[in-house]
Amino acid sequence: EKKLIKPYYTTAQFERYSANPNHDLWIIYTPSSFNKPDSMHDYSNLKAHLDRFAKVITSDNKPYGLHRARKEQFFKGEKIIVQRKCPQKPVFTYTDFDTYVSATFYIIQTTDWDMKFLTGLLNSRLIEFWLRHKGKMQGNNFQIDKEPLLQIPIAKPTKTQENKISKIVNQIISQKQKNSKADTTDLEAQIDAMVYELYNLNDEEIQVIQRGAL
């Protein structure tokens, strides 16, 4: 039965760049195939647990299936977890371990770019500026919906540029995993500078972004 019980994460474990693998919540991951009364026949303990809540389960796949369960592949391997509602700054988090999350988050998986490079780019001041002016805001809070997320213009880096940014992101993640309060401001500033170069911005444009992203 343990194979159906997965590690569940919330905003408490996610910050910019890095995630805390420690968690205290679990989810019974049952996709739509568990929507029949006899679908838990081989999982008597989990069935007994869920039966206690039968009256309040509102899933379209009740009695035992999750409501619109995502494909499990999205929760595994390398990915970027995107918080849909972010106060002050967008939060893009790199993870390479099993990370099951709710629809409060989007999940990015791609083979087009190195995932750590993409994490650095998305957390940069340039993309923050773009989301502030081209995305959706609720006061000073970012609401990162699917449409603006898909429209973010991704410049094509050289292999050298991609590797340099990826290496610095790796340093940031390493420091934050050792100490979640680690000051990585200097490393993030290096990424910002590389991103400005990647997009061929001039000094005047950089100044506008620096002021607008604060």
Side-chain angles (χ1 to χ4, degrees):
E1 294 187 73
K2 289 182 179 179
K3 69 181 182 181
L4 293 183
I5 301 175
K6 308 296 184 178
Y8 185 74
Y9 290 82
T10 69
T11 54
Q13 284 85 38
F14 297 127
E15 57 182 321
R16 284 162 53 84
Y17 290 98
S18 179
N20 182 354
N22 298 319
H23 63 95
D24 56 8
L25 297 175
W26 301 84
I27 187 169
I28 301 171
Y29 182 79
T30 48
S32 58
S33 58
F34 285 82
N35 64 351
K36 295 179 176 58
D38 62 350
S39 57
M40 295 294 283
H41 177 75
D42 295 328
Y43 310 95
S44 58
N45 292 301
L46 294 181
K47 180 181 184 302
H49 172 77
L50 292 173
D51 284 345
R52 294 167 54 202
F53 306 100
K55 291 183 179 179
V56 295
I57 291 176
T58 59
S59 168
D60 285 349
N61 295 311
K62 62 183 181 181
Y64 303 117
L66 284 170
H67 183 73
R68 297 181 182 177
R70 290 168 167 173
K71 292 181 180 179
E72 195 167 10
Q73 70 188 58
F74 293 122
F75 304 119
K76 296 178 174 292
E78 277 194 308
K79 59 198 160 301
I80 298 172
I81 306 293
V82 185
Q83 291 192 31
R84 297 178 66 180
K85 295 183 183 293
C86 309
Q88 300 180 336
K89 280 180 174 290
V91 177
F92 295 91
T93 308
Y94 173 89
T95 72
D96 57 1
F97 50 89
D98 288 1
T99 317
Y100 288 72
V101 294
S102 72
T104 305
F105 305 89
Y106 285 121
I107 300 172
I108 298 173
Q109 287 180 324
T110 181
T111 57
D112 292 336
W113 299 278
D114 177 276
M115 293 293 282
K116 288 182 178 176
F117 157 78
L118 190 58
T119 302
L121 175 64
L122 293 174
N123 278 314
S124 70
R125 282 192 172 184
L126 176 59
I127 300 305
E128 177 187 342
F129 182 88
W130 190 93
L131 286 169
R132 185 179 295 277
H133 295 280
K134 295 290 188 179
K136 186 175 181 181
M137 301 292 295
Q138 292 183 331
N140 197 41
N141 295 334
F142 290 84
Q143 181 167 330
I144 305 179
D145 291 327
K146 182 177 180 180
E147 185 175 351
L149 188 61
L150 290 173
Q151 291 178 350
I152 292 174
I154 307 295
K156 185 175 182 179
T158 64
K159 197 62 181 177
T160 299
Q161 289 173 317
E162 190 174 37
N163 288 341
K164 283 182 176 180
I165 291 177
S166 178
K167 184 177 180 179
I168 295 175
V169 169
N170 202 47
Q171 292 176 34
I172 293 173
I173 292 172
S174 179
Q175 289 191 24
K176 287 186 175 292
Q177 286 179 342
K178 292 175 182 176
N179 177 10
S180 62
K181 299 186 183 299
D183 185 358
T184 58
T185 304
D186 290 344
L187 291 172
E188 293 180 50
Q190 290 180 44
I191 291 176
D192 288 334
M194 292 180 185
V195 171
Y196 296 148
E197 182 180 354
L198 175 61
Y199 284 80
N200 296 314
L201 301 186
N202 59 41
D203 289 342
E204 183 178 350
E205 290 168 332
I206 291 172
Q207 289 301 315
V208 170
I209 291 164
Q210 293 283 93
R211 290 194 299 269
L214 293 176

